[in-house]
Amino acid sequence: MDTRYLSYIIEIADEKNMRKAAEKLYVSQPSLSQYLAKLEQELGTPLFRRTKGQLLPTAAGKLYVDCARKMLEMKN
């Protein structure tokens, strides 16, 4: 499993901003946005609510972020 993508979701949740998360991850903002859109489509539910320049986790997003943190913790 490529855990890099788990860190993407965690960084989006921590920064609450796609541009800032992309900068910290050293990836382009469009590619990070595409990844999130593809993941949300695969899961069939939004992980973040887009509001006034902020990305706030939905209930599903909070669960996903919590699980991602635990998985990275186990890996380390």
Side-chain angles (χ1 to χ4, degrees):
M1 170 184 241
D2 191 347
T3 56
R4 165 181 42 149
Y5 296 114
L6 297 175
S7 64
Y8 286 6
I9 295 300
I10 292 168
E11 198 62 48
I12 294 168
D14 289 348
E15 289 299 322
K16 297 179 179 60
N17 181 287
M18 192 68 69
R19 182 186 53 78
K20 289 179 184 177
E23 286 175 4
K24 279 194 154 182
L25 293 165
Y26 301 105
V27 298
S28 71
Q29 186 271 327
S31 66
L32 188 58
S33 293
Q34 287 177 338
Y35 166 71
L36 178 58
K38 182 179 177 186
L39 179 61
E40 289 177 327
Q41 184 178 18
E42 286 176 9
L43 295 173
T45 189
L47 297 177
F48 294 92
R49 276 192 337 254
R50 285 104 174 130
T51 59
K52 296 184 182 181
Q54 280 194 330
L55 293 168
L56 303 174
T58 61
K62 287 178 187 175
L63 181 62
Y64 196 94
V65 170
D66 289 344
C67 289
R69 288 186 199 279
K70 288 177 185 171
M71 290 179 74
L72 287 179
E73 197 175 290
M74 285 190 296
K75 178 188 174 220
N76 294 329

